[in-house]
Amino acid sequence: MKKRFLVAVLLLALSALPAFAAQKRQINFAGSSTAGTWYIFCGAVANVVNKYVPTLEATPIPSNSQLENLRKIKSGQTDFGLASPSVAQPAYVGEAPWKGEKYENIRAVFNIYTSPLHLVVKKDSPIKSVQDLKGKTIAGGQPGASANIAFHVVMEAAGMTQKDYKLVPLNDADRVDALVNGKADMSIWLQAVTAPVLKELAMLHDVRLIPLDAKTVANFEKKYPFYFGAPIVKGTVRGQTEDVPALTIWGLMVCDANMSEEVVYNVVKTVFDHKGEVEEIVGLFREVNNSNVLSRTGIPAHPGALRYFKEKGIKTD
């Protein structure tokens, strides 16, 4: 009798396992192409979530652009995604390129690392400043890329319209080819200083970075406070002997306002309680600290994120 009872209990326990497993919530993190640092970062976040949160199963997913990330979050096709405030803030207020598809429910979760706007020319190029770009061809990112958005505003601050220059949308490899083979006068990237494409370009070819003057940076910060001036420090690019004044912006983890507060809280808590494990994979995450974890986002923060940071005594205003 006792044996039959133990067998019955064991069978009951085994039959409950699939039901328990089904309680795991699936969440996705949309980053960039699989070769991009944003995709790698999403993978690092998914790793710690899967390791420490038994109720969640996280997966990084590739993406073609930030616009795609936000649209997938808005439509419920993904849960979290990466974007820069230069894309998230216009979506929140319904400005170009988001006119007609305003996304008031977009919410900030936490900053990830900074990306300066790199304005790259050949070393022997006559171009010394953005004022020299009138009539020139610029190799930019894919349509909707934050680099393109930032560049257009820089040129506007320099007194030019989009009719004064030609920006051609290209992928990373084609941007390099366009610059090296003279199809473009400049190639631009809004990426981290450790981005492989920039490192490889500077390693294989003689290039230099175009600086932004202090007035342009100040005007830009005033109009778009989610950007800020910060130098690309000397030595970042081979042959670079001085700091180059540039505009930079945070990368930002975002989600929808209707995302469960508990899920967002658990994701944020896990990432920051085990921040060192994420940094082992993406060292740039070390840039984030208590003073900047939600700075210059341009959009409201999700209550789940605020709950964790409040518990830790971190000011987010």
Side-chain angles (χ1 to χ4, degrees):
M1 184 66 143
K2 185 176 181 181
K3 186 176 180 181
R4 280 201 303 260
F5 175 75
L6 289 174
V7 170
V9 170
L10 180 58
L11 289 172
L12 182 63
L14 289 173
S15 68
L17 284 177
F20 176 77
Q23 291 176 7
K24 265 196 172 187
R25 173 161 181 175
Q26 308 285 324
I27 57 172
N28 295 326
F29 294 85
S32 60
S33 67
T34 54
T37 309
W38 277 15
Y39 179 80
I40 296 169
F41 183 84
C42 286
V45 169
N47 283 342
V48 294
V49 169
N50 290 334
K51 185 175 180 180
Y52 296 107
V53 187
T55 58
L56 297 175
E57 185 169 335
T59 305
I61 59 174
S63 170
N64 292 318
S65 73
Q66 301 179 52
L67 295 177
E68 180 180 313
N69 291 349
L70 265 59
R71 286 178 177 135
K72 282 187 173 180
I73 294 172
K74 186 179 182 182
S75 65
Q77 296 178 68
T78 191
D79 304 288
F80 295 87
L82 297 181
S84 64
S86 62
V87 172
Q89 198 270 346
Y92 177 70
V93 299
E95 293 180 349
W98 294 92
K99 288 183 177 179
E101 50 178 332
K102 188 176 181 180
Y103 187 14
E104 293 178 299
N105 266 12
I106 188 69
R107 293 293 181 268
V109 181
F110 57 83
N111 284 328
I112 61 167
Y113 57 81
T114 58
S115 294
L117 179 62
H118 295 78
L119 308 176
V120 187
V121 298
K122 286 184 176 180
K123 192 172 184 178
D124 59 0
S125 169
I127 297 169
K128 305 295 183 184
S129 71
V130 292
Q131 282 75 20
D132 297 329
L133 292 173
K134 191 166 186 176
K136 305 298 185 184
T137 298
I138 317 302
Q142 300 277 33
S146 54
N148 301 354
I149 296 169
F151 181 77
H152 287 317
V153 182
V154 165
M155 296 303 285
E156 181 183 322
M160 286 185 240
T161 71
Q162 293 183 33
K163 294 180 180 180
D164 292 320
Y165 56 91
K166 181 181 180 181
L167 190 145
V168 181
L170 299 169
N171 62 31
D172 279 350
D174 288 341
R175 263 181 281 180
V176 171
D177 178 73
L179 179 66
V180 171
N181 294 313
K183 300 172 187 174
D185 301 288
M186 172 186 283
S187 288
I188 62 172
W189 281 270
L190 190 68
Q191 291 194 23
V193 294
T194 58
V197 63
L198 294 169
K199 290 292 185 183
E200 185 175 339
L201 172 62
M203 186 65 64
L204 298 177
H205 306 281
D206 291 327
V207 297
R208 57 184 170 83
L209 300 171
I210 298 299
L212 292 179
D213 61 88
K215 184 178 179 181
T216 297
V217 171
N219 289 340
F220 207 107
E221 285 182 321
K222 186 176 180 180
K223 187 173 182 180
Y224 300 97
F226 41 79
Y227 281 98
F228 54 101
I232 300 173
V233 298
K234 62 182 180 181
T236 298
V237 170
R238 181 174 62 90
Q240 179 192 351
T241 58
E242 297 180 347
D243 291 353
V244 174
L247 281 166
T248 193
I249 195 168
W250 283 102
L252 179 64
M253 184 70 77
V254 298
C255 70
D256 191 86
N258 292 320
M259 170 64 71
S260 160
E261 180 178 326
E262 199 65 25
V263 169
V264 176
Y265 172 83
N266 281 327
V267 167
V268 176
K269 174 177 172 58
T270 303
V271 168
F272 283 89
D273 284 358
H274 305 280
K275 189 168 182 282
E277 294 186 36
V278 180
E279 291 170 355
E280 286 179 7
I281 299 173
V282 182
L284 289 167
F285 195 39
R286 295 186 181 93
E287 292 181 7
V288 176
N289 55 48
N290 291 358
S291 66
N292 61 29
V293 67
L294 275 172
S295 68
R296 297 181 183 268
T297 66
I299 59 174
H302 192 282
L306 293 174
R307 174 179 153 196
Y308 172 79
F309 295 128
K310 184 178 180 180
E311 285 180 0
K312 292 296 182 179
I314 298 171
K315 292 183 178 181
T316 54
D317 297 332

